[in-house]
Amino acid sequence: NAGVTQTPKFQVLKTGQSMTLQCAQDMNHNSMYWYRQDPGMGLRLIYYSASEGTTDKGEVPNGYNVSRLNKREFSLRLESAAPSQTSVYFCASSYLYSGAGYYEQYFGPGTRLTVT
Amino acid sequence: KQEVTQIPAALSVPEGENLVLNCSFTDSAIYNLQWFRQDPGKGLTSLLLIQSSQREQTSGRLNASLDKSSGRSTLYIAASQPGDSATYLCAVPEGNTNAGKSTFGDGTTLTVKP
């Protein structure tokens, strides 16, 4: 199993450019998430998807859009990048142990994005 | 709303010491808690998951405990090594919901000196 994979690993954008961050998991998980991590701010949830075909806003959704293309893939799009979106972006997925009601989460390696 | 706090924010110890990292949460109605390790420039790696029905979970030199009633979890690292230097985060997922969103602490950055 590859687990959770993200592409690209690094990206530099100019203000106003657009790009899509790709994420895929091969663990058949229903739930997927996008976080950003900034120094002093911890991990903040941008968007999440409870299942294929559904997406919901997290704590900091402004300036982003997402697509849950299928059960495996969850992409994050920046339509018009701003310097404030310079960050490290992590994709994650989780498995629900339905009998016990708890989730176990797995993370991708991250994408380092710089917007100049 | 769940809040998760990790104290201290940073910890420096000499090699060989046993140490404890703390994680506190405000809503005790949890299903589980997960401890992660993050190396500089890397993603989060799951270390231990402890269910609400468990008091402890062990993996090698790591032992996680959970006290739901007091809203606390600890991660005990025995005989620390320089390779243990990393940031350790705890996370509390919303259990038994359709999404399992997690609340994370800000982490404790551990430095183990040779």
Side-chain angles (χ1 to χ4, degrees):
Chain A
N1 282 355
V4 180
T5 58
Q6 293 183 236
T7 55
K9 287 187 167 51
F10 301 93
Q11 184 71 48
V12 179
L13 291 178
K14 294 188 189 313
T15 297
Q17 288 184 320
S18 62
M19 77 161 296
T20 299
L21 281 64
Q22 306 287 353
C23 173
Q25 51 90 11
D26 62 0
M27 297 173 282
N28 203 37
H29 291 171
N30 282 322
S31 297
M32 297 186 73
Y33 319 87
W34 276 104
Y35 296 91
R36 62 178 288 174
Q37 187 177 43
D38 304 287
M41 303 292 286
L43 274 164
R44 292 183 291 172
L45 183 64
I46 304 171
Y47 271 93
Y48 64 98
S49 169
S51 61
E52 182 181 352
T54 68
T55 61
D56 283 289
K57 296 178 181 179
E59 184 184 352
V60 288
N62 290 348
Y64 305 95
N65 285 302
V66 290
S67 295
R68 183 75 183 268
L69 304 170
N70 48 54
K71 193 170 187 179
R72 288 188 65 246
E73 298 171 290
F74 188 38
S75 62
L76 178 72
R77 182 160 178 83
L78 286 69
E79 291 290 353
S80 179
S84 61
Q85 294 178 305
T86 294
S87 187
V88 181
Y89 291 85
F90 289 105
C91 178
S93 68
S94 65
Y95 178 75
L96 172 62
Y97 290 82
S98 56
Y102 72 87
Y103 282 87
E104 184 167 17
Q105 194 161 172
Y106 298 81
F107 277 77
T111 296
R112 290 187 173 275
L113 175 67
T114 301
V115 183
T116 61
Chain B
K1 179 188 170 187
Q2 181 75 268
E3 294 180 4
V4 178
T5 304
Q6 292 185 249
I7 295 174
L11 183 63
S12 180
V13 301
E15 182 176 4
E17 267 203 11
N18 303 325
L19 59 101
V20 173
L21 307 180
N22 297 297
C23 173
S24 300
F25 47 93
T26 55
D27 185 350
S28 62
I30 69 169
Y31 285 78
N32 69 291
L33 184 144
Q34 204 168 349
W35 282 94
F36 292 89
R37 169 185 172 137
Q38 185 176 28
D39 293 294
K42 303 292 186 183
L44 279 71
T45 300
S46 181
L47 295 174
L48 287 166
L49 182 150
I50 184 163
Q51 298 176 50
S52 61
S53 58
Q54 298 173 319
R55 302 274 302 178
E56 289 188 353
Q57 196 60 265
T58 297
S59 176
R61 293 183 293 108
L62 306 180
N63 176 278
S65 69
L66 177 64
D67 184 343
K68 273 184 57 175
S69 60
S70 67
R72 293 176 55 189
S73 176
T74 62
L75 180 66
Y76 174 82
I77 303 177
S80 58
Q81 303 170 358
D84 295 330
S85 298
T87 297
Y88 293 81
L89 298 99
C90 64
V92 180
E94 292 178 3
N96 215 27
T97 65
N98 68 347
K101 294 181 291 176
S102 287
T103 302
F104 284 82
D106 287 341
T108 294
T109 299
L110 173 66
T111 302
V112 181
K113 298 180 178 179

